[in-house]
Amino acid sequence: MSENISKIINELHIYEKKLLLSLEENENFTPEEIAKNNSIDIKSVMSAAGSLASKDIIKVNKDVEEAISLTETGKKYAEIDLPERRVLSVLVDEKEIAMKDLLKKTGIENYEIKIVIGWLVRKKWAKIDNGIIKVSDFGENFATKIGGDEKLLKSLDEKGVIAIDYSDEELISSLSQLNDRKDLVRIDKKTSHNFKILEKGLAILEKGLNIQEEATQLTHQHLKEGLWKDLNYRPYNVNAEYPEIFPGKIHPLRMVIEEIREIFLNLGFTESNGPILESAFWNFDSLFQPQDHAAREMQDTFYVKNPSKCNLPNNQLVKEVANVHENGGDTGSDGWGYKWDIDVSAQSVLRTHTTGISTRFLNENKPPLKMFSVGRVFRRETITYKHLPEFHQVEGIVAAPAINYQNLLGILKEFYKKLGFEVRFRPAYFPYTYLSTECEVYLEEKESWIELGGSGMFRPEVLEPLGVDVPVLAFGLGIERLAMIRYDITDIRMLYKSDIKWLREIAVENGVKLD
C-alpha cells in the first residue's frame, strides 16, 4: 500500500497537491477560495478536482440552486395586475363585453388582447360567444380571490428573488403559470461545488506532500543559464487518458465512387461527363425510347419549367432519330410506328439515367473506344429505406469491331471481381439494348442474390442515327446499393444523413486517390 501511495504522489500534478493541502487545512474551502489562496485560476482548481476524483482521492459534490425573479414586464404587472384580472374586474360589473369594445372599456393595451382572451378562457373566468366575452360563474366567484400566479407575482415584487423548492407544489404550480407567459419571470441557476477527502486522499496526506514547482518543458534560457540542473521536471504519464481525435476523411459514398473510378481507369476506360439538366432527346429519344413510354410520364420523370426547352443537336441527327422512331430507318426494324414530335424531344428533364452521356459520346467520338461516367440521376421515387428521388449511376460503353455479348459479361465479371463480389447474370429487357441482362451479386451473410444493374448490346436503332457501324456493349450500375452492401447498412437514407456519429465510426479504406 505504501509503495502504491508513493507512486500516486509522484504522479500528482502540482495543482492537485495544492488542492489536497488546502482541503487538509479546511475541507469547507470553496473552489474560489482555494484558487485565491494558491494564486491559481478557478479552471485549474476544477480540473485538478476532476482528476483527483477520477482517482478516488476526493469526492466532488455538485449543488445546483435555482432562483426566480421578475423581468421588467413582470414588475409592471405586479403593480397594475395581470391584464385578465383587470378585464375580470370590469366583467363582474357589466357581465359581458363585445370584443370591439374591449380596449375602450378595460384600458388594456392592443398587444394584450390575445393574452387576455387566452388566459380568461384558460382560467375559466369567461367564455367567448360570437364575439362577446361573457363572465362565467366561476369568474364571478373568483373576483374576490387571488390566484397562485398573482400571489407569486406580488411576493417576487416584494422579495426580489425566491429560491425554487421543488417540493413546494403550490410554488411550482404558480411558477408554471407565470413561466408559460415567457416574459414575466426569469430563472437563474447557480452551481456550487464542495470537496470531501476520501480514504486514499487521507493516506496521501498522512504520507506527506512536498510542493515543488515543476517545469513542463526545457527552454533555451534554461540551457543557457544552467537552470536546467535545479529544475523539477513534471513526469509524463504515458497511460493518461487523451481526447479522442476524429480526423477528416472521405465520405463513405464518395469512397465507393472513387474506387469504381479507379477500377475503370485501370481497365483503360476514358471518363466522360454530361449535364444534369438534359433534353428528352438525349435522355430518351436517342436511346430509341418511344415518346409514349410509361417511364417518360410525369410520375417517373422530373420535367423542368425554366428552361422548359433545350437546344437540340444538328438537324441531320434529329431527322435520323425521328426516322428510326417512325419507321426504323435503314435498320430493318419497323420502328415504333407513330409520328415523332420534335417539341416533346426538346423538353427539359432532370436526367433519369446517365445513358445519355453514352449516346453523346458515341456521336462525338469514333470507335474503337471505351468510356465510363459516374453521375447523379433523378426519378420521381417515394423516399423509403431503399429508394431515393436522386442517386448515382456508373455508366459504361465499349465500341469496337468484332466485340460481342461474351465481352460484355467478361468486363462486368472483372469489374465485380475487383470489388470483391461473385456475379451472375440473368435475362432482362431494356428498350435500347438487345441480349439484355441484369447483374446480381451473392451475399453470403444473407444467402441471397442482389440485383445491382443492367447491361446489354445497343440496338441498331440507337447506333444507326449516330453513324456507328460497330457493335457497342453498354452497362449501367447502381452505386448506392453497392455502398449499402459494402458498409452493411439497411437504410439508403443513411448515406445522405448528417449522422456525425456514424460518419466518425464508419471505417474507410486508404489508398484511393482523389483528383
Side-chain angles (χ1 to χ4, degrees), residues 23-294:
L23 293 177
E24 182 183 34
E25 180 185 344
N26 186 349
E27 202 170 37
N28 293 321
F29 273 151
T30 65
E32 291 75 17
E33 290 171 330
I34 294 172
K36 182 179 179 181
N37 295 341
N38 291 279
S39 300
I40 56 181
D41 60 78
I42 188 68
K43 288 184 178 179
S44 298
V45 172
M46 296 309 298
S47 176
S51 179
L52 289 173
S54 69
K55 301 169 188 173
D56 295 323
I57 295 173
I58 68 170
K59 181 181 180 182
V60 179
N61 298 309
K62 180 180 178 181
D63 183 37
V64 180
E65 190 177 275
E66 294 180 287
I68 48 177
S69 58
L70 293 177
T71 64
E72 291 303 317
T73 305
K75 292 176 182 177
K76 169 188 169 184
Y77 285 144
E79 293 178 8
I80 67 174
D81 285 332
L82 293 170
E84 65 269 21
R85 170 62 68 176
R86 284 178 274 145
V87 172
L88 179 62
S89 299
V90 178
L91 273 174
V92 168
D93 294 331
E94 300 202 8
K95 305 305 179 185
E96 60 182 48
I97 301 173
M99 289 282 289
K100 61 184 180 63
D101 298 327
L102 192 60
L103 298 180
K104 181 174 63 176
K105 290 192 174 185
T106 62
I108 64 171
E109 302 289 340
N110 187 55
Y111 70 87
E112 294 177 315
I113 290 179
K114 288 185 179 179
I115 299 173
V116 165
I117 300 302
W119 282 99
L120 282 172
V121 174
R122 181 169 172 176
K123 292 181 176 181
K124 301 179 181 178
W125 289 356
K127 298 178 181 178
I128 314 298
D129 185 15
N130 292 324
I132 304 296
I133 306 172
K134 298 179 180 180
V135 68
S136 66
D137 293 340
F138 182 80
E140 286 198 83
N141 293 332
F142 208 89
T144 57
K145 299 177 183 179
I146 300 177
D149 55 343
E150 295 172 296
K151 288 180 183 178
L152 181 57
L153 200 65
K154 297 291 185 183
S155 183
L156 284 169
D157 190 42
E158 293 172 3
K159 299 178 181 179
V161 178
I162 295 177
I164 299 178
D165 180 2
Y166 283 97
S167 64
D168 188 338
E169 294 182 4
E170 184 179 353
L171 172 66
I172 298 305
S173 175
S174 301
L175 174 59
S176 176
Q177 279 189 300
L178 289 181
N179 207 31
D180 282 349
R181 296 176 182 261
K182 304 188 184 304
D183 62 345
L184 299 189
V185 295
R186 69 170 62 91
I187 299 177
D188 298 307
K189 293 184 180 182
K190 182 181 178 182
T191 304
S192 59
H193 297 84
N194 60 78
F195 311 125
K196 179 177 178 57
I197 304 175
L198 300 178
E199 184 179 348
K200 190 184 292 186
L202 293 173
I204 290 172
L205 290 171
E206 185 178 347
K207 184 80 173 177
L209 288 175
N210 179 30
I211 298 292
Q212 187 176 6
E213 295 296 331
E214 297 176 332
T216 57
Q217 61 181 1
L218 187 64
T219 66
H220 171 72
Q221 195 72 17
H222 293 155
L223 294 172
K224 182 178 179 181
E225 299 179 5
L227 299 176
W228 62 273
K229 299 176 183 178
D230 301 317
L231 288 175
N232 179 44
Y233 295 99
R234 179 184 172 188
Y236 287 94
N237 181 5
V238 295
N239 296 316
E241 292 185 8
Y242 59 90
E244 191 172 0
I245 298 173
F246 300 99
K249 60 186 178 183
I250 302 172
H251 190 280
L253 180 58
R254 186 65 187 172
M255 177 64 75
V256 173
I257 291 173
E258 292 305 319
E259 184 179 358
I260 289 171
R261 289 184 64 243
E262 185 168 311
I263 290 173
F264 280 113
L265 289 171
N266 288 338
L267 289 174
F269 280 71
T270 299
E271 186 172 12
S272 183
N273 291 293
I276 288 176
L277 180 63
E278 187 62 279
S279 66
F281 176 85
W282 287 114
N283 196 76
F284 297 119
D285 295 288
S286 68
L287 294 166
F288 194 54
Q289 198 162 12
Q291 293 185 333
D292 59 355
H293 193 282

